[in-house]
Each structure stands twice: as C-alpha cells, then as structure tokens.
Amino acid sequence: CLGQRRLFWLAVHATGSRLLGYVLVMPGTVLHESAHYVACLVLRVPVGRQVRTPTGRRARVRLFYPQRDPGSGSVTLGSVPHAATDPLRRALIAIAPLLLVPPLLFALVVILTGTGDPARLPHLLPHLAIWKLILLGYLTFSCGQAAFPSRGDRIGPLGGLALLAAAAGTAAV
C-alpha cells in the first residue's frame, strides 16, 4: 500500500536501516494483502497458485515479500495475484483493505485492552501493561497505514460504476 511504502522509506532514510523499515511495515502489509486474499476467496476468484504468471509458472501469494525494482528503486512489499474477473469483483478486491482492515484493527484493540467500548479507552490505556501499550501503538501505527490502497489496487471506471450500482441496489432494498 502507498502509505506502507512511504512509511518504509521514511524509516530507511531516517535511520539508514532497511530492517527497521521492514519491521515497521510488516504487520500492516500482511493485513493489507490478507484482505485482498480473503476477498478473492469470498468472491470465488482464483488466487495464488490457481493463477499462472505470463511465463506460465504458478503464481504465489506473498503476504510480505519485499522486492526492490532495480530500475526504479521502488519496493513492492507483498502481492496477491488473482485471475481477471468482472469489474464489480475486481473493484471489491481492490477496496478490500479499506473495508476489512479497520474492523480487524479494532479487534486487535479489543483483544489488547479487553474492551469493545471506544469511550473507555482513555480510562483503560493508563492502566495497561507497558508491553501492551507498546504493542498497541506499533500495531496501530503499522496497520493503520494498511487500509489505504496501493498502486495495484485499481478500481477503474467500470469498477467504480459497478460499486455505485451495487451500493444503490443495496440502499434500495
């Protein structure tokens, strides 16, 4: 995701350590790519080894597999290759992190704090163990970035229209 790549490069430039950059973005990247994977499974779109690459090899889901493009220097942190599909399913797969990451991040907060009531958080946080606070801050920082789309998460005009039609159809029901 774009936010994850920016976070990665900020950490690398600030510290000179790619390892620190990878540690910061890994949970969010795994969550982002997992959302795409789950969307493919739910929508019954062939994903991963069910798909062939242009060279004929079976594709692989890479929830976190940093790769640097030698030409541009850009970094791809993960990928979920899936089969071509109709515009609506393609758009839903593209926006899956936007739909799934916030509730999953909230679930992590509930697990670490023991409450599902956001109004209680200001009262609970000062009493949490320090390791829980650090873990909560780290996961919130890394995973909060993961809801945003990456360059490959294209909806396209037909996908946008399909999403609008689906939303209008759902609202009419």
Side-chain angles (χ1 to χ4, degrees), residues 48-112:
R49 298 191 61 73
Q50 300 169 342
V51 178
R52 298 266 181 192
T53 66
T55 61
R57 301 173 79 180
R58 291 190 185 276
R60 294 183 62 188
V61 171
R62 305 220 187 236
L63 298 180
F64 186 71
Y65 192 77
Q67 295 287 310
R68 187 171 187 177
D69 182 320
S72 69
S74 67
V75 172
T76 300
L77 297 169
S79 64
V80 177
H82 58 83
T85 188
D86 60 89
L88 178 59
R89 289 194 289 174
R90 186 173 55 245
L92 288 170
I93 292 166
I95 67 168
L98 188 61
L99 301 174
L100 298 177
V101 169
L104 291 173
L105 188 53
F106 182 71
L108 288 171
V109 170
V110 168
I111 290 167
L112 288 172

Side-chain angles (χ1 to χ4, degrees), residues 10-45:
L10 282 172
V12 170
H13 292 306
T15 65
S17 170
R18 280 183 189 248
L19 179 60
L20 179 61
Y22 291 140
V23 168
L24 282 174
V25 300
M26 185 188 53
T29 301
V30 169
L31 201 56
H32 179 96
E33 299 302 338
S34 294
H36 289 307
Y37 185 76
V38 167
C40 287
L41 293 178
V42 169
L43 297 170
R44 297 184 179 190
V45 174

